[in-house]
Amino acid sequence: MELGLLEELKKQNKISEFFSIWKGREFVSYPGEKQLIADLRKIADGLGMRDGLILGCFDYRDMSLAFFTENIEQLSGYSADFLRQNGLVGVISALHPQDAKEHAEFNNRILREFEKASLSEKRTFEASYTLRWLHKYTKEEIWFFVKAKPYFIDEDGNYILDLHIGLKITNNESLKEYDWSFSYTKDSGRKITFKKENLDTTLLYLTRKEKEVARWLLEGLDSNEIADKMHISVNTVFVHRKKLLKKLNAKSSVELAKLLTMQDLM
């Protein structure tokens, strides 16, 4: 992406739109926050920052980069000053055009699911993604595999800081496009996993009632309990369940539950 896109993103306030869920949010301060960043510096120093390994930490209160290892400049051509000044906007502007929008959408997908989780569930979120930076000068595609997770969540359950650990992929001939997955563990002990490869566009055609039935099914309710929750008849619940099976091409209730856990039902 050219620098012009960076200015366009700023002018149109696109980043705040990507993360509109954060608008008007009041965050709980944490006295030990500076120590968290200091700890990351110690970790980076301890790793010796091998070639191709980067660490970064976004602050979702103002979309800044709270911490990052400055070897990113040698890898991407983008200066440390540029990233400090522009934060998340700068990072997105430095990505391959095909990956930039998808990366923002992926972050939004995680945040939507994160908002629905309990505080204990939020602490179990983990994500991974594969994307390309474009070198500022050579325009070389630089592939990274990244693992990410929450680094600090305030007492109200707000996502404050995350931690990304990225590894440059040198053997990237087979890589063609942005890829992602994320997961978390429910309080019940059930692990919920979302993968790009398992997204089913059929979900776009589910009605509001079908999505509501699906959410209750994932909570473990039977048809009678769902009928009571939704103030509808058990027969109507059966009709919705039958339509869910057909639309998601599931052969059983177990397969249906598995497919639904991979979808965004909001």
Side-chain angles (χ1 to χ4, degrees):
M1 287 189 179
E2 299 296 331
L3 190 60
L5 177 60
L6 174 63
E7 298 307 320
E8 182 183 339
L9 286 169
K10 286 181 173 180
K11 185 186 300 183
Q12 298 179 14
N13 202 23
K14 291 294 185 182
I15 297 301
S16 63
E17 287 181 18
F18 289 151
F19 299 99
S20 58
I21 196 171
W22 258 223
K23 280 186 177 179
R25 187 68 56 91
E26 291 187 8
F27 299 94
V28 179
S29 60
Y30 174 61
E33 187 175 328
K34 289 184 178 179
Q35 185 58 48
L36 291 174
I37 302 302
D39 290 343
L40 285 180
R41 292 194 179 92
K42 289 180 182 178
I43 291 171
D45 291 341
L47 290 172
M49 296 324 300
R50 303 193 310 270
D51 288 344
L53 182 67
I54 59 172
L55 269 66
C57 179
F58 287 113
D59 187 329
Y60 284 84
R61 292 167 294 191
D62 58 6
M63 305 306 162
S64 64
L65 269 168
F67 170 82
F68 63 97
T69 50
E70 296 189 7
N71 60 336
I72 190 64
E73 184 171 352
Q74 287 73 46
L75 291 167
S76 70
Y78 287 87
S79 71
D81 286 341
F82 172 84
L83 295 174
R84 286 194 196 94
Q85 291 168 10
N86 297 292
L88 184 57
V89 179
V91 170
I92 290 180
S93 73
L95 298 180
H96 190 287
Q98 293 178 7
D99 294 353
K101 182 179 179 181
E102 196 163 358
H103 187 56
E105 291 173 349
F106 170 51
N107 276 275
N108 259 337
R109 179 175 287 273
I110 292 177
L111 293 176
R112 286 197 301 269
E113 195 67 25
F114 184 86
E115 280 292 278
K116 296 184 286 183
S118 69
L119 182 58
S120 57
E121 290 170 347
K122 288 176 178 179
R123 301 188 191 282
T124 69
F125 270 66
E126 294 182 341
S128 62
Y129 56 91
T130 305
L131 53 56
R132 292 164 287 182
W133 283 60
L134 275 186
H135 194 281
K136 182 178 181 181
Y137 302 109
T138 67
K139 303 306 177 185
E140 173 194 1
E141 294 183 2
I142 309 159
W143 284 91
F144 277 95
F145 172 72
V146 184
K147 297 286 287 186
K149 62 187 304 181
Y151 187 55
F152 172 52
I153 302 168
D154 73 15
E155 293 177 2
D156 286 348
N158 295 314
Y159 204 140
I160 305 297
L161 302 172
D162 60 13
L163 176 61
H164 298 253
I165 302 175
L167 181 65
K168 182 182 178 182
I169 305 172
T170 54
N171 185 16
N172 55 37
E173 288 82 2
S174 62
L175 299 176
K176 302 297 181 185
E177 62 181 16
Y178 185 97
D179 196 12
W180 59 263
S181 68
F182 72 95
S183 65
Y184 71 98
T185 302
K186 299 277 287 183
D187 288 333
S188 64
R190 182 163 59 95
K191 187 170 185 178
I192 308 296
T193 302
F194 298 80
K195 294 183 178 181
K196 179 181 177 180
E197 64 191 47
N198 292 327
L199 285 182
D200 193 328
T201 55
T202 305
L203 189 69
L204 298 174
Y205 302 102
L206 295 186
T207 67
R208 180 177 60 82
K209 289 289 187 182
E210 287 166 354
K211 288 184 179 182
E212 187 176 354
V213 169
R215 289 196 293 270
W216 288 123
L217 286 172
L218 288 178
E219 290 298 322
L221 274 63
D222 61 27
S223 294
N224 288 317
E225 292 170 323
I226 294 173
D228 288 341
K229 289 282 188 181
M230 296 179 63
H231 306 292
I232 58 178
S233 71
V234 176
N235 284 338
T236 302
V237 175
F238 285 144
V239 170
H240 287 316
R241 294 185 68 158
K242 186 175 180 180
K243 288 181 178 179
L244 286 169
L245 286 165
K246 183 176 181 180
K247 287 185 177 182
L248 293 179
N249 196 28
K251 298 178 177 60
S252 66
S253 296
V254 173
E255 185 177 353
L256 175 63
K258 182 179 179 181
L259 289 169
L260 289 174
T261 60
M262 300 171 183
Q263 307 294 341
D264 179 7
L265 293 170
M266 293 303 289

